[in-house]
Amino acid sequence: MVSLVKPAKRWLVLGHRWLGIATGLLFALWIGSGLVMLYVPFPSLTEAERLARLRPMAWDAVAVSPDEALAAAGLHGLPRSLDLEMRGAEPVYRMQASDGRRITLSARTGAPAGPVDAGTALRLAGAGPGASVEEVGRDQWTVTARYDPLRPFHRVALNDAAGTELYVSRGTGEIVLDTTRFERGWNWVGAVTHWVYLTPLRARADLWRDVVLWISGIAAFTALTGLVLGIWRLRLRRRYAQGRVTPYRGLARWHHLAGLVGGIGLTTFIVSGWLSMNPNRWFTSLAPPADLRAAYAGADNPVGLDLARLHEIGARAPLGLHLVRIGGRWVTMGLDRAGTRVIGDAPDAARIETAAGLAMAGARLEAVERLDSHDLYWSPLTSATLPVLRLRFADPAGTWLHIDPQSGEILNRLDRSGRANRWLFTALHRLDLPVLVGHPPARDAAQWLVNLLAGALVTTGLVIGWRRLILKAGAHSPLPARGEKAATTPSSARRGGSRW
């Protein structure tokens, strides 16, 4: 066993040295792009932005009831939700089939509201003079699978001061995304770099996942070997010559010391980033699976809103309605600029518990908690919704359901693996800790401190790696011809003792 220690140490040193040279630039890019992402997230259309662009509902033009619209859609089974809102000057019903298809029907006639052309897209976007439009199937900002049912898009450039571009689904006429010049520019050095979000790669989800898993896995191994080496070569008691705690000199000394201070943070970020790619499918998604949502929605009962009732409640819903089915009964929510609010009776706790029990296939409900503030497993980085009901079930996965008590909608599903992922990724990678997320300036300061310490470690490593490559290139250069002067040996090589 002892005979294996020396070669193991040698391979550890060599492995860290050359893997560090190979991955050093990636570390630097991840640190810089991560700091950008603290302030500029990946472009998305928030609910507030979506509602701000909706036209007021023309209630007098609505001549088709919700049940008539559902019948006209001809779906096999009712959708879990139904929306009534404006598409330009036309009131429409929007629904999503169980197979993911988006269906849009005129609320005036009940007929399908067909695809929109470029001119209609300009009008739906509220474009003014100088605006332009082009059709795109997939681009840098619509690369993920969540946009698949909505493709292709009319990308409308508004020609405003912010350089706003709106994406209008050709099939449904919905505005599904907005971006600005500021967001696009910073995201190239932010999320695109950090997540390796190159469109040709990200469009192939499985390939992208495998590539990022391997890259981040090799980087994680590099960071771990560096941390092991740093601790191994540190001497606090039996010190090196002249009382030094490190055997290295010059820049290598600073790299060693920076690794002892910033190495834990860097290793934590890289390993947790690797875990975020869900290697070996260890963690379940926070999004409830389709069969659970369908079971929670319950029986395919009618909405029960006739036109008279619809027009009556319209006075309290200036932008339209959002209807969801819970336990076989529909909950009606009105839309206004502030968001959604329940019109009529909100689902009571007993109805929510019954529907959740059916969704969980009869698993015993252990406890129901009402959260009026965020806690370890319901973070403001996850959702701002409060209050929230937490239903804990005694199923093999230890499932928790977080449910909005006002609307009754399931917000997320958290089982044991999800709770483990909350600590192994969210807490460690995003510093999602109550003491920090409750004080955003403190969290930002902690992120900057950890990243700057890691940055010092990476910067010194990059310089050392570059010098070693130059030395290797010089060692393999042709010998000088007779009469020529040999190249000068770099000072770092003459000094010695600075090799990592």
Side-chain angles (χ1 to χ4, degrees), residues 40-100:
V40 188
F42 195 73
S44 65
L45 184 73
T46 67
E47 181 64 6
E49 290 171 334
R50 189 186 79 84
L51 293 174
R53 292 189 177 278
L54 282 182
R55 295 189 185 183
M57 172 57 62
W59 287 105
D60 292 343
V62 177
V64 176
S65 72
D67 286 312
E68 290 171 335
L70 290 170
L75 298 177
H76 178 69
L78 298 184
R80 295 186 302 273
S81 64
L82 177 66
D83 294 284
L84 174 60
E85 57 189 41
M86 296 297 287
R87 190 175 94 163
E90 180 79 3
V92 295
Y93 284 101
R94 301 190 188 277
M95 61 196 84
Q96 183 172 359
S98 58
D99 60 4

Side-chain angles (χ1 to χ4, degrees), residues 215-273:
I215 291 174
S216 57
I218 292 170
F221 181 77
T222 304
L224 285 168
T225 56
L227 192 60
V228 170
L229 279 171
I231 296 173
W232 168 44
R233 301 310 303 270
L234 178 69
R235 287 188 185 177
L236 296 178
R237 298 180 63 184
R238 217 166 34 87
R239 299 195 175 193
Y240 297 99
Q242 300 176 353
R244 291 182 289 116
V245 297
T246 173
Y248 305 106
R249 289 183 289 177
L251 194 61
R253 174 175 179 268
W254 290 109
H255 184 68
H256 186 196
L257 296 177
L260 294 170
V261 178
I264 293 177
L266 178 63
T267 303
T268 298
F269 277 151
I270 299 301
V271 172
S272 60

Side-chain angles (χ1 to χ4, degrees), residues 212-214 216-217 220 269-279 282:
V212 177
L213 267 173
W214 277 101
S216 57
F269 277 151
I270 299 301
V271 172
S272 60
W274 175 71
L275 289 172
S276 75
M277 298 306 299
N278 198 6
W282 288 328

Side-chain angles (χ1 to χ4, degrees), residues 22 24 49 82 125 127 143 160 195 206 229 239 330 344 373 376 438 448 478:
E49 290 171 334
L82 177 66
V143 70
D160 59 354
W195 295 335
D206 290 337
L229 279 171
R239 299 195 175 193
W330 290 85
S373 59
L376 292 176
W448 275 94

